[in-house]
PDB file of all heavy atoms in Angstrom:
ATOM      1  N   ASN T 138       4.633  -1.693   1.095  1.00  0.00           N
ATOM      2  CA  ASN T 138       4.622  -0.479   0.187  1.00  0.00           C
ATOM      3  C   ASN T 138       3.414  -0.499  -0.733  1.00  0.00           C
ATOM      4  O   ASN T 138       2.342  -0.602  -0.174  1.00  0.00           O
ATOM      5  CB  ASN T 138       6.013  -0.240  -0.438  1.00  0.00           C
ATOM      6  CG  ASN T 138       6.761  -1.372  -1.284  1.00  0.00           C
ATOM      7  OD1 ASN T 138       7.092  -2.335  -0.743  1.00  0.00           O
ATOM      8  ND2 ASN T 138       6.794  -1.129  -2.588  1.00  0.00           N
ATOM      9  N   ASP T 139       3.677  -0.381  -1.985  1.00  0.00           N
ATOM     10  CA  ASP T 139       2.550  -0.050  -2.979  1.00  0.00           C
ATOM     11  C   ASP T 139       1.256  -0.784  -2.755  1.00  0.00           C
ATOM     12  O   ASP T 139       1.288  -2.022  -2.584  1.00  0.00           O
ATOM     13  CB  ASP T 139       2.978  -0.344  -4.373  1.00  0.00           C
ATOM     14  CG  ASP T 139       4.317   0.145  -4.701  1.00  0.00           C
ATOM     15  OD1 ASP T 139       4.991   0.916  -3.913  1.00  0.00           O
ATOM     16  OD2 ASP T 139       4.756  -0.106  -5.860  1.00  0.00           O
ATOM     17  N   GLN T 155       2.366  -4.533  -1.583  1.00  0.00           N
ATOM     18  CA  GLN T 155       3.742  -5.062  -1.561  1.00  0.00           C
ATOM     19  C   GLN T 155       4.112  -5.298  -0.110  1.00  0.00           C
ATOM     20  O   GLN T 155       3.943  -4.417   0.751  1.00  0.00           O
ATOM     21  CB  GLN T 155       4.634  -3.965  -2.170  1.00  0.00           C
ATOM     22  CG  GLN T 155       4.494  -3.802  -3.733  1.00  0.00           C
ATOM     23  CD  GLN T 155       5.123  -4.954  -4.425  1.00  0.00           C
ATOM     24  OE1 GLN T 155       6.286  -4.943  -4.686  1.00  0.00           O
ATOM     25  NE2 GLN T 155       4.397  -5.950  -4.731  1.00  0.00           N
ATOM     26  N   TRP T 163      12.329  -2.889   3.497  1.00  0.00           N
ATOM     27  CA  TRP T 163      11.995  -3.408   2.168  1.00  0.00           C
ATOM     28  C   TRP T 163      12.894  -4.649   1.875  1.00  0.00           C
ATOM     29  O   TRP T 163      13.999  -4.709   2.338  1.00  0.00           O
ATOM     30  CB  TRP T 163      12.317  -2.344   1.095  1.00  0.00           C
ATOM     31  CG  TRP T 163      11.753  -2.801  -0.231  1.00  0.00           C
ATOM     32  CD1 TRP T 163      10.496  -2.697  -0.743  1.00  0.00           C
ATOM     33  CD2 TRP T 163      12.564  -3.291  -1.417  1.00  0.00           C
ATOM     34  NE1 TRP T 163      10.448  -3.090  -1.978  1.00  0.00           N
ATOM     35  CE2 TRP T 163      11.718  -3.501  -2.455  1.00  0.00           C
ATOM     36  CE3 TRP T 163      13.875  -3.577  -1.491  1.00  0.00           C
ATOM     37  CZ2 TRP T 163      12.183  -3.999  -3.656  1.00  0.00           C
ATOM     38  CZ3 TRP T 163      14.399  -4.086  -2.762  1.00  0.00           C
ATOM     39  CH2 TRP T 163      13.542  -4.253  -3.815  1.00  0.00           C
ATOM     40  N   MET T 166       9.914  -9.345  -2.272  1.00  0.00           N
ATOM     41  CA  MET T 166       8.462  -8.819  -2.220  1.00  0.00           C
ATOM     42  C   MET T 166       7.460  -9.941  -2.419  1.00  0.00           C
ATOM     43  O   MET T 166       7.570 -10.868  -3.287  1.00  0.00           O
ATOM     44  CB  MET T 166       8.312  -7.848  -3.412  1.00  0.00           C
ATOM     45  CG  MET T 166       8.788  -6.452  -3.040  1.00  0.00           C
ATOM     46  SD  MET T 166       7.680  -5.590  -1.805  1.00  0.00           S
ATOM     47  CE  MET T 166       8.687  -5.545  -0.382  1.00  0.00           C
ATOM     48  N   PHE T 202       6.550  -8.080  -7.701  1.00  0.00           N
ATOM     49  CA  PHE T 202       6.425  -6.665  -7.624  1.00  0.00           C
ATOM     50  C   PHE T 202       5.003  -6.256  -7.948  1.00  0.00           C
ATOM     51  O   PHE T 202       4.051  -6.957  -8.004  1.00  0.00           O
ATOM     52  CB  PHE T 202       7.426  -5.985  -8.602  1.00  0.00           C
ATOM     53  CG  PHE T 202       8.811  -5.773  -8.020  1.00  0.00           C
ATOM     54  CD1 PHE T 202       9.293  -6.452  -6.944  1.00  0.00           C
ATOM     55  CD2 PHE T 202       9.638  -4.749  -8.521  1.00  0.00           C
ATOM     56  CE1 PHE T 202      10.632  -6.268  -6.427  1.00  0.00           C
ATOM     57  CE2 PHE T 202      10.878  -4.528  -8.023  1.00  0.00           C
ATOM     58  CZ  PHE T 202      11.350  -5.293  -6.933  1.00  0.00           C
ATOM     59  N   SER T 203       4.856  -4.930  -8.199  1.00  0.00           N
ATOM     60  CA  SER T 203       3.495  -4.260  -8.315  1.00  0.00           C
ATOM     61  C   SER T 203       2.795  -4.746  -9.619  1.00  0.00           C
ATOM     62  O   SER T 203       3.441  -5.090 -10.511  1.00  0.00           O
ATOM     63  CB  SER T 203       3.579  -2.805  -8.204  1.00  0.00           C
ATOM     64  OG  SER T 203       3.993  -2.568  -6.874  1.00  0.00           O
ATOM     65  N   ARG T 266       8.393  -2.330 -15.618  1.00  0.00           N
ATOM     66  CA  ARG T 266       7.576  -2.946 -14.581  1.00  0.00           C
ATOM     67  C   ARG T 266       6.174  -2.279 -14.401  1.00  0.00           C
ATOM     68  O   ARG T 266       5.933  -1.257 -14.951  1.00  0.00           O
ATOM     69  CB  ARG T 266       8.312  -3.072 -13.311  1.00  0.00           C
ATOM     70  CG  ARG T 266       8.742  -1.725 -12.715  1.00  0.00           C
ATOM     71  CD  ARG T 266       9.388  -2.008 -11.259  1.00  0.00           C
ATOM     72  NE  ARG T 266       9.958  -0.743 -10.721  1.00  0.00           N
ATOM     73  CZ  ARG T 266      11.147  -0.335 -10.984  1.00  0.00           C
ATOM     74  NH1 ARG T 266      11.971  -0.935 -11.867  1.00  0.00           N
ATOM     75  NH2 ARG T 266      11.624   0.827 -10.420  1.00  0.00           N
ATOM     76  N   ASP T 267       5.476  -2.932 -13.512  1.00  0.00           N
ATOM     77  CA  ASP T 267       4.224  -2.430 -12.883  1.00  0.00           C
ATOM     78  C   ASP T 267       3.084  -2.397 -13.965  1.00  0.00           C
ATOM     79  O   ASP T 267       2.569  -1.331 -14.280  1.00  0.00           O
ATOM     80  CB  ASP T 267       4.404  -1.080 -12.251  1.00  0.00           C
ATOM     81  CG  ASP T 267       5.522  -1.065 -11.216  1.00  0.00           C
ATOM     82  OD1 ASP T 267       5.855  -2.161 -10.703  1.00  0.00           O
ATOM     83  OD2 ASP T 267       6.016   0.018 -10.956  1.00  0.00           O
ATOM     84  N   GLU T 326       7.456   4.829 -12.342  1.00  0.00           N
ATOM     85  CA  GLU T 326       6.962   3.616 -11.642  1.00  0.00           C
ATOM     86  C   GLU T 326       5.492   3.660 -11.537  1.00  0.00           C
ATOM     87  O   GLU T 326       4.812   4.792 -11.526  1.00  0.00           O
ATOM     88  CB  GLU T 326       7.575   3.645 -10.225  1.00  0.00           C
ATOM     89  CG  GLU T 326       9.058   3.345 -10.247  1.00  0.00           C
ATOM     90  CD  GLU T 326       9.589   3.257  -8.777  1.00  0.00           C
ATOM     91  OE1 GLU T 326       9.316   4.013  -7.896  1.00  0.00           O
ATOM     92  OE2 GLU T 326      10.339   2.234  -8.592  1.00  0.00           O
ATOM     93  N   TYR T 386       2.471   8.073  -2.934  1.00  0.00           N
ATOM     94  CA  TYR T 386       3.306   7.452  -4.064  1.00  0.00           C
ATOM     95  C   TYR T 386       2.623   6.142  -4.490  1.00  0.00           C
ATOM     96  O   TYR T 386       1.901   5.536  -3.789  1.00  0.00           O
ATOM     97  CB  TYR T 386       4.741   7.253  -3.623  1.00  0.00           C
ATOM     98  CG  TYR T 386       5.656   6.965  -4.762  1.00  0.00           C
ATOM     99  CD1 TYR T 386       5.900   8.087  -5.707  1.00  0.00           C
ATOM    100  CD2 TYR T 386       6.228   5.723  -4.974  1.00  0.00           C
ATOM    101  CE1 TYR T 386       6.758   7.842  -6.831  1.00  0.00           C
ATOM    102  CE2 TYR T 386       7.076   5.610  -5.990  1.00  0.00           C
ATOM    103  CZ  TYR T 386       7.330   6.629  -6.959  1.00  0.00           C
ATOM    104  OH  TYR T 386       8.104   6.346  -7.958  1.00  0.00           O
ATOM    105  N   TRP T 402       0.570   4.742  -1.382  1.00  0.00           N
ATOM    106  CA  TRP T 402       1.476   4.366  -0.271  1.00  0.00           C
ATOM    107  C   TRP T 402       1.976   5.684   0.352  1.00  0.00           C
ATOM    108  O   TRP T 402       2.569   6.505  -0.379  1.00  0.00           O
ATOM    109  CB  TRP T 402       2.568   3.497  -0.834  1.00  0.00           C
ATOM    110  CG  TRP T 402       3.686   3.165   0.092  1.00  0.00           C
ATOM    111  CD1 TRP T 402       3.638   2.825   1.422  1.00  0.00           C
ATOM    112  CD2 TRP T 402       5.030   3.102  -0.257  1.00  0.00           C
ATOM    113  NE1 TRP T 402       4.861   2.602   1.854  1.00  0.00           N
ATOM    114  CE2 TRP T 402       5.802   2.778   0.849  1.00  0.00           C
ATOM    115  CE3 TRP T 402       5.803   3.319  -1.502  1.00  0.00           C
ATOM    116  CZ2 TRP T 402       7.165   2.672   0.846  1.00  0.00           C
ATOM    117  CZ3 TRP T 402       7.087   3.252  -1.550  1.00  0.00           C
ATOM    118  CH2 TRP T 402       7.810   2.803  -0.370  1.00  0.00           C
TER     119      TRP T 402
HETATM  120  C1  FRU Z  13       7.223   1.619  -6.317  1.00  0.00           C
HETATM  121  C2  FRU Z  13       7.946   0.300  -6.670  1.00  0.00           C
HETATM  122  C3  FRU Z  13       7.451  -0.327  -7.965  1.00  0.00           C
HETATM  123  C4  FRU Z  13       7.827  -1.821  -7.706  1.00  0.00           C
HETATM  124  C5  FRU Z  13       7.575  -1.986  -6.215  1.00  0.00           C
HETATM  125  C6  FRU Z  13       8.573  -2.898  -5.569  1.00  0.00           C
HETATM  126  O1  FRU Z  13       7.270   1.915  -4.929  1.00  0.00           O
HETATM  127  O2  FRU Z  13       9.393   0.519  -6.727  1.00  0.00           O
HETATM  128  O3  FRU Z  13       7.913   0.249  -9.067  1.00  0.00           O
HETATM  129  O4  FRU Z  13       7.031  -2.698  -8.519  1.00  0.00           O
HETATM  130  O5  FRU Z  13       7.703  -0.677  -5.636  1.00  0.00           O
HETATM  131  O6  FRU Z  13       8.241  -3.131  -4.238  1.00  0.00           O
END
Side-chain angles (χ1 to χ4, degrees):
N138 54 292
D139 314 353
Q155 290 283 276
W163 188 79
M166 279 290 111
F202 272 25
S203 294
R266 60 177 175 273
D267 308 338
E326 291 188 313
Y386 195 65
W402 172 43

